Amino acid sequence: MVGQSERGATLRAMALPSARRPASLSRSAPCRLVVAGALASLVGCGGEDTATNQGFGGTSGAGGTSAGTGGVGASGGLAGSAGTGGSAGAGGLAGAGGVAGAGGVAGVGGASPDDRFARYFHDEIASPITQGVLSRAQAIRAARPGAAEDVFMKVGASGTVSTHFLYCFAGPARPGYRLELAEHTELLPGIEYFRGGNAAGATPFDRATLAAVVGRSASWAITGNPSPLDQEIAAINPRFAFVNYGTNDMGQGATHLSALFPFYDHLATLLDELEEQGIITIVSGLNPRGDSAVAARWVPTYDVVTRGLAEARQLPYLSLYLLVKDLPNQGLISDGIHGNAYSSGGTQPCVFEPPGLQYNYNRRNLASMQALDALRRGVLEGEPALVTPPAGYQGRGTAADPLIIDRLPFTHHGDSRASAESQIDSYPGCNANQDESGPEVVYRLELTETTSLRAVVLDRGDVDIDLHLLSAPSGDACLQRADRAIQVTLGPGSYTWVLDSFVASGVARSGEYLFALLECEPGDPDC
């Protein structure tokens, strides 16, 4: 049953609580769902500063204005093929804008203030769908013009396999479900549009996907020839995708920390493969955990890293953790892992009246449909942007002008190859003799109170970026260093974080990385 038939004028947000922010850093706005349609009129991502480790929104696929190159896509410029493009999948090394296979590194600025790189703040349930985000989506779309525009695929594990996820939008194909949109009637045209999609004889909503199996992790989806991902793409030729991993991936290592790095690698590879196929992806993070106190403390870290991956690629992101953590029982069934759904005359996960929105899948379905419809309106229908990008990063990543860590959690996707800074070759303050003479990127953190922190640097392939915590920008002032993670409690003061390129056999292992810094959860013994 549809609550109302007329289309609303704007996309309304669910009223949701604020996320905890540290008193010592800038505070973001309260948790909110920020999704809106937009017209992507610029199709490149580029840059204009060869010394900065920051990206810029380019114009017409040209990838920047002077020294910066880039664009979007696996070769650094799917949409930039008519312009300068990029190089070697790096998306441009000198001030390029985007990520590997997605245009370069994360940053600020650009030819148009509405088309610049959008930061994804970690107290927002859904990332903003801005002009720049839809420019990226348009560029991805250009890689495969022949995809079925009204078809999406689902990639994940049990939370994606569940018939509670999206099936209730299928309409006459699933007569047992009620669709009660309440104040969200603006979604009805999008729901009807995707109901018309042919996903190998089903609607995309109730298609039994080949790319999701209970208990699987991100590595499974991309393994095999053809992989489950490839099989589903071949079967339904989709334009869009929902991707959800994290919970099972947490158990793929000796510890949740050790499992984080292959999870990052596998999910990054999966997202790159979808982009190469011209598939625009909506990424969602993992649910809270009620089955294990240890796992529960690590969920925010996985959420931050997953959001960072989506941010780097400017793909829409939905935090299931923030979406449901304040619901009764965190929106979970008795096993403490899987989401619950509203029941009234049977399970009804598409009831969006207030009673329904006290349940996990009801919130998830609404937020997922809002994101999908925003892409439909902006990418396919050309509606103008309604969301302005937030302020970008401050600083150039040098010792003289470090990138400012202005909030926690903080993520930044960088590329040490783009840095002209190479002042610190070793870190004797940490009794370390490693050769760190490759290029480095410098960050500054100011704390006004004692804070327990987890810092991780995630890279791929032959890239080897090491993490250093300093009391001042000098190797003699090194407090701690690590190959991948530092977990530490720090008192009030000013701290320098240096992400430095390790050198092996005279070759700097410089390249792209994701830097994530967040507060540890209360009671976390690792910090």
Side-chain angles (χ1 to χ4, degrees):
M1 179 176 73
V2 177
Q4 301 181 44
S5 59
E6 67 273 14
R7 183 176 183 178
T10 61
L11 188 62
R12 300 176 177 86
M14 293 181 283
L16 296 163
S18 300
R20 177 173 58 87
R21 310 300 302 168
S24 57
L25 298 174
S26 300
R27 293 176 180 271
S28 300
C31 269
R32 60 193 185 276
L33 203 60
V34 184
V35 287
L39 170 65
S41 59
L42 309 181
V43 295
C45 293
E48 54 186 45
D49 190 338
T50 61
T52 183
N53 194 46
Q54 299 178 8
F56 296 75
T59 59
S60 302
T65 59
S66 57
T69 59
V72 183
S75 61
L78 291 179
S81 57
T84 59
S87 63
L93 304 184
V99 296
V105 295
V108 297
S112 165
D114 290 329
D115 199 60
R116 64 182 182 266
F117 182 93
R119 291 180 67 182
Y120 291 2
F121 294 146
H122 293 267
D123 60 354
E124 293 180 344
I125 290 165
S127 63
I129 297 183
T130 64
Q131 186 88 7
V133 169
L134 290 191
S135 294
R136 287 279 298 117
Q138 290 280 24
I140 294 169
R141 181 189 185 203
R144 192 163 61 102
E149 306 283 13
D150 55 2
V151 173
F152 59 83
M153 67 186 296
K154 296 172 283 187
V155 186
S158 55
T160 301
V161 171
S162 174
T163 57
H164 298 340
F165 181 53
L166 300 179
Y167 275 63
C168 51
F169 289 116
R174 298 285 171 171
Y177 290 119
R178 303 199 308 272
L179 176 61
E180 297 184 7
L181 292 176
E183 62 179 16
H184 302 283
T185 54
E186 74 282 351
L187 297 177
L188 187 56
I191 294 168
E192 292 175 338
Y193 176 77
F194 288 103
R195 279 179 183 172
N198 181 5
T203 77
F205 294 115
D206 63 344
R207 156 78 176 172
T209 174
L210 301 175
V213 169
V214 173
R216 297 297 189 174
S217 61
S219 63
W220 166 83
I222 55 175
T223 300
N225 187 18
S227 68
L229 191 74
D230 292 334
Q231 292 177 50
E232 184 67 358
I233 293 171
I236 66 173
N237 189 32
R239 169 62 67 208
F240 301 97
F242 287 98
V243 171
N244 173 236
Y245 282 111
T247 300
N248 296 320
D249 304 81
M250 290 179 68
Q252 299 298 304
T255 65
H256 296 314
L257 176 60
S258 66
L260 182 64
F261 304 100
F263 166 64
Y264 169 83
D265 192 5
H266 296 144
L267 184 57
T269 300
L270 191 159
L271 296 177
D272 289 347
E273 290 186 11
L274 287 171
E275 181 173 327
E276 290 166 5
Q277 293 286 335
I279 298 170
I280 304 164
T281 302
I282 299 168
V283 184
S284 60
L286 70 175
N287 270 326
R289 292 286 291 270
D291 61 318
S292 163
V294 174
R297 288 192 289 263
W298 275 90
V299 167
T301 300
Y302 277 74
D303 185 60
V304 165
V305 168
T306 309
R307 186 191 297 262
L309 272 167
E311 177 189 57
R313 289 159 173 75
Q314 294 288 271
L315 298 173
Y317 184 71
L318 174 62
S319 171
L320 298 188
Y321 169 67
L322 292 182
L323 183 70
V324 304
K325 71 182 182 67
D326 294 319
L327 292 177
N329 299 316
Q330 301 184 99
L332 303 174
I333 62 175
S334 59
D335 68 2
I337 298 177
H338 298 96
N340 58 19
Y342 178 66
S343 181
S344 174
T347 302
Q348 299 297 341
C350 275
V351 171
F352 303 141
E353 300 285 355
L357 293 179
Q358 292 300 302
Y359 292 84
N360 185 305
Y361 273 103
N362 296 68
R363 287 195 171 198
R364 181 181 177 185
N365 285 332
L366 175 57
S368 298
M369 192 62 230
Q370 286 176 316
L372 180 64
D373 193 53
L375 290 175
R376 177 192 66 87
R377 298 197 322 266
V379 176
L380 304 183
E381 294 191 355
E383 290 192 9
L386 300 179
V387 178
T388 300
Y393 296 98
Q394 305 171 54
R396 294 165 54 86
T398 65
D401 187 18
L403 282 157
I404 302 301
I405 299 171
D406 56 356
R407 63 190 65 236
L408 294 176
F410 174 87
T411 54
H412 181 254
H413 180 272
D415 189 331
S416 63
R417 295 170 298 184
S419 175
E421 188 85 353
S422 186
Q423 302 298 316
I424 305 177
D425 295 341
S426 63
Y427 294 82
C430 287
N431 296 315
N433 58 10
Q434 289 88 349
D435 184 350
E436 302 281 0
S437 59
E440 65 237 17
V441 183
V442 183
Y443 301 78
R444 188 175 74 226
L445 170 67
E446 301 284 345
L447 293 177
T448 61
E449 61 187 33
T450 299
T451 308
S452 295
L453 296 170
R454 173 173 294 131
V456 294
V457 57
L458 303 110
D459 47 40
R460 301 164 66 191
D462 292 332
V463 177
D464 191 347
I465 307 298
D466 293 332
L467 188 60
H468 304 85
L469 170 62
L470 316 178
S471 59
S474 164
D476 292 325
C478 185
L479 301 174
Q480 288 195 36
R481 73 167 304 279
D483 181 48
R484 287 182 163 181
I486 292 175
Q487 301 175 103
V488 64
T489 297
L490 298 175
S494 178
Y495 298 91
T496 298
W497 294 88
V498 179
L499 276 68
D500 211 339
S501 304
F502 178 69
V503 174
S505 302
V507 178
R509 300 292 183 86
S510 55
E512 298 183 10
Y513 63 85
L514 176 66
F515 176 43
L517 181 68
L518 68 156
E519 283 191 276
C520 297
E521 292 298 293
D524 190 334
D526 294 328
C527 302

